[in-house]
Every structure is written in structure tokens, then in C-alpha cells.
Amino acid sequence: MKMSGGVEWALHCAFALTAADHPVSAARLAEMHDVSASYLAKQLQAMSRAGLVRSTQGNLGGYELTRPPSRITVLDVVEAVDGPTPAFLCTDVRARGPLAASPEACRTPCAIHRAMTAADEAWRASLRSVTIADLAAQVTGEHGRGVLDGVRNWFNAAP
Amino acid sequence: MKMSGGVEWALHCAFALTAADHPVSAARLAEMHDVSASYLAKQLQAMSRAGLVRSTQGNLGGYELTRPPSRITVLDVVEAVDGPTPAFLCTDVRARGPLAASPEACRTPCAIHRAMTAADEAWRASLRSVTIADLAAQVTGEHGRGVLDGVRNWFNAAP
DNA sequence: GAGACCATACTCGGATAGGTCGTGTCCGAGTGGGGGGGG
DNA sequence: CCCCCCCCACTCGGACACGACCTATCCGAGTATGGTCTC
């Protein structure tokens, strides 16, 4: 079980866009984080498809958040990039083989399926309880406001 | 993010072994669940390596639980088969690029890393709170004791 | 001087190869049981 | 009749291909900007 590495990039971009006051291109975000621009574009497209960021084309175009960061949860970003499908897929093993359970007994999810689903929901709830604004608040609380100001200034500086 | 499909098989096997009173071969478990015997063997070997089951070779050999099912959690099985590595791997993006954070500022995990770790821990805690005995109790509570008895009888029956 | 037009350079978006890990399979090493022989 | 020995069939364990998904990349479609020409 391995999560897509692009999730980390997407979260960092969401955090950085918190400090931006105008659209930022994918190339600039990639340069800032020193990652592959082409691949980062893929993650940003996924976020755009999910409605987390708005993309504007043309010169001075780029990505910007569509909602205030306090209304974007970490789970939103994770599901946008990594997909909303739960990690565990029940294949209804109990309905197969010589000791297969009767079809009507399989109306309710099996105990294993329930346990995995509950864990998945706990994971999602934890990610849902943290917003991008919370991340920004934690960073400023630990390292000062200069971090976000530095990002904003770097965005405003000419390439 | 997709979990190994073998986890489901391993959990069903752990549940089935609850009803066994003597070692059960991998081939028999595979026949019972109608899955690939060769591949199921791989999962059972992983559980053996993790110390969840004991394997005995030779005739009438097979696998049996090493501990009472009340002391085997679902998390134990998941980690044995799928690996104990957390799904999220922090690559310390903040320490790269033109706005890289100072090395001493990176002594503590970044906010993103903490959020993902907390979610992972919540997931693990949920899986840790359910034991194989709990699963068996749920099944007997819903479908009667006949299920486990049927499994035991099928194990005792000649191939 | 003001307005409209156009060329341009920049942006995103999806379609396209390569690498890595999960999936599935196979065969060899090891071992306990059962039958046969001997006492 | 009981004990010992040997053969065997059955077991696990690790090593070996195949395939799917993630990773990484490229080129084409579209658009706002800035300059230029005309009125």
C-alpha cells in the first residue's frame, strides 16, 4: 500500500497558493519546489478537475485556489490526486468456494469489510479535520509569518 | 493508493483458522476460498514470517495460529501481508528549491507530514481495535454458530 | 490621441513511453506418516 | 505380536515471469498581453 508521491507535491502547492494573490503557473510552482514541472502539472490538473483550483490560460495565467483555504481539507487534495476509491476492495470471498455463504446472507457487508471500511473512514475523518488554512497556521506559528511572505514575494518577483 | 488484494485472503484465512483444531494446508485454505493456491501461499508465508501463524511441514502439516485469536488484531494481519511501511512517504520537499527551509528548521516533521502521520495512526488504531476473535464473534452473532462448525467439519473431512 | 486589429509568447490539457511494484506461478528442500520387514 | 527402518507423498519456502499502475514526458489547443496600424 503506497500512496502516490504526487500527493505531497499537491499539498505543498495548495499551501503555497495560500500566499499567492494572483494565478501562479505550474512551471513556477515546480521551480519553487524543485520538482518535475511536467509531472506536477498532472497533479494540478487533477486538482483542477476536482474543483479545488481554477486554471486560467494565456499570459500571466496559472492556478489559484477556488475557495478560501479554510474550506479546503487535506482530504480534498488527497482524494483529488490519489483518487476517491477506498484502499480496500472487498471481493466477497465468502460467497465463493464450497462453503460459500448464501446470497441473502451477503446482503450486509461481511465483518472484515466492515472493519476495513471503519478504518478507512477513520483515516478520512482525520484528514478531513485538517484544512489547508490549519497547515498555514501551524507553519506561521512555528516558523513565523516570514515564510508565507517569502513565498508571496517570490511569486511576485519576475521570473 | 491500493491495498494488496492478498490482505483480504489473509484475513479470511485467519478467521477460518479460528475454527481449526489442527494444522490446515495452504492448498486446503485456497480450495475453501476458491483462490489461487500458489498466491495464497505467499500471503501465508508472510504471516508465518510475522509470527502470526506457525507452519508445520510434512504430511498432515499446514498452518495454525500461534496465539489465541483474541490476541491477533486485524492490523497484525494487514501489516504482515501489506508491509508495515506507512502509505505516505515524506520526501522533505520544503528543504529543496530556492525557498528551501533551513536545515535546523527541518528538525521537526513539517505540518503536512504530521497530518498524514496522524491519519495513518488513526487508521492503524482502528484496525488495532478489532481482533480476529471479534470478527468471529460478529459472524456467529449474525449468522449463528453453524458457520464456524461448518468450517471445522470441512477441515476435518477428508480431501 | 484613441481605438481596433494582429502577431506572439505564454498558459493549460490530454495523449504518449518507461520504471517499479504487485500478481500469479513454478519447482526444489525438508519432514512426518504409513507400510513392510525383522526380531 | 511388537518394534524398527525405509519409502513416499505431502508440506512449506523461496526464486522466477507477467501485467498493471505510478512516474515522467512531450506536443497540441486556447487565450490574454503588448505592439502596431489606421482613423
Side-chain angles (χ1 to χ4, degrees):
Chain A
M1 174 149 86
K2 187 174 164 294
M3 176 177 298
S4 167
V7 171
E8 186 185 8
W9 299 6
L11 284 169
H12 276 276
C13 287
F15 166 76
L17 287 176
T18 298
D21 46 8
H22 60 80
V24 182
S25 73
R28 198 135 181 79
L29 285 168
E31 181 191 359
M32 170 181 167
H33 295 109
D34 188 24
V35 297
S36 161
S38 306
Y39 189 38
L40 180 62
K42 203 176 191 53
Q43 324 303 337
L44 290 168
Q45 285 166 27
M47 291 174 74
S48 175
R49 248 175 270 141
L52 299 180
V53 297
R54 164 193 300 279
S55 68
T56 58
Q57 280 190 339
N59 201 357
L60 298 184
Y63 293 97
E64 56 191 341
L65 298 178
T66 57
R67 286 178 271 170
S70 60
R71 300 197 69 84
I72 300 178
T73 69
V74 175
L75 179 63
D76 290 331
V77 178
V78 171
E79 287 191 332
V81 174
D82 205 57
T85 309
F88 180 81
L89 268 73
C90 183
T91 58
D92 260 331
V93 169
R94 61 175 173 175
R96 296 159 56 182
L99 272 65
S102 63
E104 55 263 23
C106 296
R107 306 296 281 269
T108 61
C110 68
I112 292 173
H113 183 70
R114 285 199 302 267
M116 300 303 289
T117 302
D120 201 83
E121 191 49 45
W123 179 73
R124 285 184 152 74
S126 177
L127 292 180
R128 198 182 294 118
S129 68
V130 182
T131 68
I132 304 300
D134 294 334
L135 295 178
Q138 287 183 34
V139 170
T140 56
E142 292 170 11
H143 306 294
R145 180 162 292 275
V147 177
L148 281 173
D149 289 340
V151 172
R152 184 178 2 251
N153 292 336
W154 192 79
F155 282 158
N156 290 330
Chain B
M1 174 149 86
K2 186 172 164 294
M3 176 178 298
S4 167
V7 170
E8 186 184 9
W9 299 5
L11 283 170
H12 276 277
C13 286
F15 166 76
L17 287 176
T18 299
D21 46 8
H22 59 80
V24 182
S25 73
R28 199 135 181 80
L29 286 167
E31 182 191 0
M32 171 181 167
H33 296 109
D34 189 24
V35 296
S36 162
S38 306
Y39 189 36
L40 181 61
K42 204 176 190 51
Q43 323 303 338
L44 291 168
Q45 285 166 28
M47 291 174 74
S48 175
R49 250 174 269 141
L52 299 179
V53 297
R54 163 193 302 276
S55 68
T56 58
Q57 281 191 339
N59 201 358
L60 297 185
Y63 293 97
E64 57 191 340
L65 298 178
T66 57
R67 285 177 271 170
S70 60
R71 301 197 68 85
I72 300 179
T73 68
V74 174
L75 180 63
D76 290 331
V77 178
V78 171
E79 286 191 333
V81 174
D82 206 58
T85 308
F88 180 82
L89 267 73
C90 182
T91 59
D92 259 331
V93 170
R94 61 176 172 174
R96 296 160 55 180
L99 272 65
S102 60
E104 55 263 23
C106 296
R107 307 296 282 271
T108 60
C110 70
I112 292 173
H113 183 70
R114 285 199 302 266
M116 301 303 291
T117 303
D120 202 82
E121 190 49 45
W123 179 72
R124 286 184 150 74
S126 178
L127 292 179
R128 198 182 292 118
S129 68
V130 182
T131 67
I132 304 299
D134 294 333
L135 295 178
Q138 287 183 33
V139 170
T140 57
E142 292 170 12
H143 306 294
R145 179 162 294 273
V147 176
L148 281 173
D149 289 341
V151 172
R152 184 179 0 254
N153 291 336
W154 191 79
F155 281 158
N156 290 331

